[in-house]
Amino acid sequence: MKTSRGVRAITTIAATMLPLALLSACGSDEADGTTTLTVASYGGPYQEAQAQAFFEPYMKANPDVKIVQDGPSDNAKLRAMVEAGKPQWDVVLLANDFGNESQGEWLEEIDYDVVDKDALLDGYADKYRAGADVEGTVLAYREDKLATAPSSWADFFDTKAFPGKRAVNKFAAGGILEAALLADGVPQADLYPLDVDRALKKIDTIKDSIVWWDTAAQSQQLLESGEVSMGLVWVGRAADAGKSSPVKIDWNTWLSQDAYWMVPKGSPNAEEAMKLIAFMVTKDPQVEFSQLIDYGPVNREAAEDESVRANPNRPSNHLDTQVPMDDEWWAENLEGVMEKFNAWVLA
């Protein structure tokens, strides 16, 4: 199973990340009593921010713990490790379509006697995963190319009132199906199970105006260059584009697209892994992370911090308009929907 965030991980991973073959210390205690934790994430500036906000402070506060970074994280790789009985990762960050209860056979249950469940925002504390940050797929637009700002899902599909090309992730679970159904009048409460045929029929109305993107960098470039007037893109890329070009975000229309911390089943350092997760979701590290990258904290107190609230493009400031994606539905239906979606794209 490939996820939208899995695609992101592959395309943004920094060249300096350590390969698995070099992690011989993973999962074992050093002779000097040091515990080595291997943490796998997405790489690039995102993982650099995690290192600064989470990993380095944790090691400073716990000198008997050494954190080794790896990446990119990947659903299939995690499952293969667990099934081989040799999990080389102790903590792994994955997208919202993994870590659901139907995938619990590959994961340890989060120990909420260690991790403070009540400190997390609603919906970010699950049986097998704990939220890492609040992200999202947003409707971003070039204000210099539109007479009026879009303010609804329907506007994205209205090429007469809102002319120009649309940037869309060429991935079924990237949000375009949900956006199409909402634009077509489906109430949010009735969104799932997705009516895929109805969604594709709606997307057909703008198919000639779509510019497909495969990587986050492409989506940002399409907005910055002005090749598209609107796009469904990840919030971090939309915010970055807005720093150098007249790109704005419509916060009336956005979908959840989050990341979660998980512990592979059979990790020899599961107890210490839970302690690290507990630290990473506390207020101060969450606030620090939010200052380094354009995502929102999952910690309740951090989400209300003045420095976090001051940023209008922080997803956690707009939870009242968030459309949550049904992760369980996608986990069960992704393969079949991808086949139908890909066939439609090529038609």
Side-chain angles (χ1 to χ4, degrees):
M1 180 188 304
K2 183 174 261 188
T3 73
S4 54
R5 291 296 301 275
V7 172
R8 167 185 170 184
I10 293 170
T11 56
T12 62
I13 184 67
T16 57
M17 297 302 292
L18 295 173
L20 285 173
L22 297 181
L23 302 178
S24 58
C26 172
S28 61
D29 291 337
E30 306 278 352
D32 61 0
T34 299
T35 298
T36 298
L37 288 178
T38 300
V39 181
S41 186
Y42 294 150
Y46 181 83
Q47 191 160 337
E48 291 171 8
Q50 290 176 326
Q52 183 174 332
F54 305 144
F55 310 151
E56 293 167 11
Y58 188 79
M59 286 189 289
K60 184 176 181 180
N62 299 273
D64 59 338
V65 176
K66 176 183 177 183
I67 295 175
V68 175
Q69 298 182 59
D70 189 29
S73 55
D74 179 80
N75 300 355
K77 188 180 290 186
L78 182 149
R79 294 198 303 268
M81 288 179 181
V82 173
E83 289 168 3
K86 297 179 179 180
Q88 295 170 293
W89 295 333
D90 297 298
V91 179
V92 58
L93 186 99
L94 288 169
N96 51 304
D97 68 344
F98 197 76
N100 301 289
E101 293 207 19
S102 60
Q103 297 146 340
E105 64 184 286
W106 295 290
L107 300 166
E108 297 284 349
E109 292 186 25
I110 299 297
D111 186 350
Y112 287 111
D113 288 333
V114 177
V115 179
D116 187 354
K117 186 174 186 177
D118 293 335
L120 296 174
L121 294 170
D122 292 344
Y124 289 89
D126 295 336
K127 185 174 182 178
Y128 295 102
R129 64 186 189 179
D133 49 65
V134 181
E135 305 180 17
T137 296
V138 299
L139 191 164
Y141 62 95
R142 294 274 308 207
E143 61 177 348
D144 61 329
K145 292 185 174 294
L146 299 175
T148 58
S151 59
S152 71
W153 297 103
D155 292 346
F156 188 81
F157 290 84
D158 186 348
T159 55
K160 184 176 181 179
F162 301 89
K165 297 289 187 179
R166 270 70 167 147
V168 177
N169 189 357
K170 193 164 60 177
F171 183 70
I176 186 60
L177 299 182
E178 286 87 349
L181 291 171
L182 291 164
D184 204 40
V186 176
Q188 181 176 329
D190 300 331
L191 193 55
Y192 294 94
L194 295 182
D195 186 336
V196 177
D197 291 332
R198 179 175 175 178
L200 294 178
K201 184 177 180 180
K202 180 67 174 179
I203 305 170
D204 258 326
T205 64
I206 63 166
K207 191 172 185 180
D208 291 342
S209 298
I210 291 177
V211 179
W212 298 107
W213 59 268
D214 294 299
T215 70
Q218 290 173 345
S219 70
Q220 183 174 336
Q221 177 59 31
L222 288 170
L223 287 167
E224 290 178 340
S225 67
E227 183 176 344
V228 300
S229 62
M230 306 170 74
L232 285 179
V233 301
W234 294 324
V235 61
R237 291 296 181 165
D240 283 348
K243 294 172 184 176
S244 60
S245 55
V247 173
K248 300 294 183 181
I249 296 173
D250 172 33
W251 283 107
N252 294 304
T253 52
W254 71 289
L255 295 147
S256 65
Q257 195 82 20
D258 306 303
Y260 291 84
W261 294 115
M262 308 173 205
V263 177
K265 191 77 170 180
S267 165
N269 294 313
E271 184 176 342
E272 191 62 50
M274 298 298 172
K275 294 177 184 178
L276 173 60
I277 293 173
F279 172 80
M280 293 191 292
V281 301
T282 55
K283 178 185 177 181
D284 290 345
Q286 285 275 299
V287 170
E288 173 69 12
F289 181 72
S290 294
Q291 303 312 307
L292 297 171
I293 201 157
D294 288 309
Y295 296 126
V298 293
N299 178 278
R300 292 180 188 275
E301 290 186 43
E304 295 301 321
D305 186 86
E306 290 183 5
S307 65
V308 174
R309 298 291 300 175
N311 186 338
N313 285 330
R314 193 74 65 200
S316 54
N317 294 339
H318 304 279
L319 294 175
D320 57 328
T321 57
Q322 180 196 63
V323 176
M325 296 182 76
D326 189 327
D327 300 342
E328 287 284 0
W329 188 89
W330 273 113
E332 295 171 4
N333 294 278
L334 179 60
E335 186 175 348
V337 176
M338 279 297 296
E339 289 180 5
K340 180 175 288 190
F341 178 79
N342 289 337
W344 171 85
V345 170
L346 295 173

